[in-house]
Amino acid sequence: MTMELVKFLQKIGVDTRFVSIMEDKVYINNLKFSRFSRKKEELFKKSFPEVNVIRSKIFQKICMRASRNLAHCIQPKEKIFLIENDDLRNFAIHIILEPYQRKYGIELIFGKSMNEAENLDIDSIALPITLDDEAQNILQLMLDGEKIELLSSNENYKDIKLIYPLINVPKSWIYSWTQNTADNELNQDEYAEDLLKFLERLVPGVRENLLKSALFISCEC
């Protein structure tokens, strides 16, 4: 089904490197670059009325943020391991990386846990750490008087490269896009989380600033 959709979209002039195709849905990652106009959508729906075309501005913002990081950390034809579970962040990673199969010729390999990755022929593992997870981690270390160490500073797992597609993406964007308010937090101290939310009201972009400062300190050390 996916290949059939890809071929038809390419036929009507859609650049499929900038749309994600997932079963009965097509997500537009970048409206301008995909060239997926309303007129082309009408042509598409005539042939595939059961497939929904998702035009989400927040999803496009997520993909734009993710692409800035992915452009530097993945290589053509790379085999990337993804954890498949109910975590919305892993769901987001899958959809974000789907068109990279056409853009860079990567291969996506799925498993239930990191342990499975050890016995597979893969080049990297995509982990679902978001900007919020990193910011909460930095803030908690500061509150505890500990050395600042980024969650995303871990570059390898048993000699397998680690990548972080969502490291620049706020978790609230993911929940807003999926219209899901479920709390799938990593195990972080509640006080750090509450303090981060308080600081956000006073300092716009506090998560981004915490990450930038921590990266600066890490480079200086």
Side-chain angles (χ1 to χ4, degrees):
M1 179 64 169
T2 297
M3 285 307 301
E4 186 181 357
L5 294 179
V6 168
K7 289 179 180 179
F8 186 85
L9 287 169
Q10 291 173 340
K11 183 179 178 180
I12 63 175
V14 174
D15 191 332
T16 57
R17 295 175 300 172
F18 299 98
V19 299
S20 297
I21 301 172
M22 303 284 291
E23 297 178 355
D24 60 345
K25 293 182 177 63
V26 174
Y27 299 85
I28 299 177
N29 298 1
N30 187 304
L31 184 58
K32 179 181 179 181
F33 292 162
S34 70
R35 303 194 300 273
F36 204 160
S37 64
R38 292 288 184 181
K39 185 176 181 179
K40 290 176 182 177
E41 183 178 345
E42 289 177 6
L43 289 173
F44 176 76
K45 293 294 287 184
K46 287 180 180 179
S47 295
F48 300 94
E50 75 282 5
V51 179
N52 292 324
V53 176
I54 311 298
R55 295 174 176 270
S56 167
K57 290 183 179 180
I58 190 70
F59 178 63
Q60 291 184 56
K61 286 174 63 178
I62 291 171
C63 290
M64 183 177 295
R65 285 260 184 126
S67 67
R68 293 170 186 168
N69 182 43
L70 291 170
H72 302 289
C73 66
I74 64 175
Q75 300 296 322
K77 298 185 179 180
E78 190 165 332
K79 297 178 181 179
I80 304 177
F81 178 82
L82 280 68
I83 297 173
E84 193 172 36
N85 57 23
D86 294 331
D87 192 316
L88 294 177
R89 292 167 293 186
N90 283 320
F91 173 70
I93 290 175
H94 184 188
I95 298 181
I96 290 168
L97 287 178
E98 195 279 332
Y100 282 78
Q101 296 174 105
R102 296 177 289 282
K103 191 174 183 179
Y104 288 158
I106 68 167
E107 181 179 349
L108 301 180
I109 299 171
F110 299 89
K112 297 298 182 182
S113 70
M114 293 278 283
N115 292 332
E116 292 183 34
E118 299 175 37
N119 302 315
L120 297 173
D121 178 21
I122 58 173
D123 300 301
S124 59
I125 300 172
L127 294 182
I129 295 176
T130 66
L131 180 60
D132 292 65
D133 299 320
E134 192 71 276
Q136 288 176 30
N137 168 65
I138 294 166
L139 191 55
Q140 187 60 52
L141 291 172
M142 292 172 62
L143 293 172
D144 293 341
E146 301 290 341
K147 178 183 176 181
I148 301 298
E149 292 186 358
L150 299 176
L151 296 172
S152 57
S153 65
N154 295 319
E155 298 180 352
N156 295 280
Y157 171 77
K158 298 187 177 180
D159 296 326
I160 304 172
K161 183 178 71 174
L162 299 177
I163 63 174
Y164 304 90
L166 303 178
I167 197 61
N168 295 318
V169 178
K171 190 158 43 182
S172 60
W173 289 10
I174 297 172
Y175 290 163
S176 175
W177 161 52
T178 58
Q179 296 183 340
N180 192 313
T181 58
D183 189 357
N184 290 324
E185 304 276 350
L186 291 180
N187 292 326
Q188 295 286 349
D189 187 275
E190 290 184 3
Y191 183 70
E193 181 187 348
D194 291 341
L195 182 56
L196 185 61
K197 291 178 180 178
F198 170 74
L199 290 173
E200 184 179 30
R201 293 196 292 269
L202 302 176
V203 184
V206 64
R207 293 168 172 78
E208 289 84 351
N209 291 338
L210 279 169
L211 180 55
K212 287 178 183 177
S213 297
L215 286 170
F216 177 77
I217 292 171
S218 298
C219 292
E220 288 294 311
C221 295

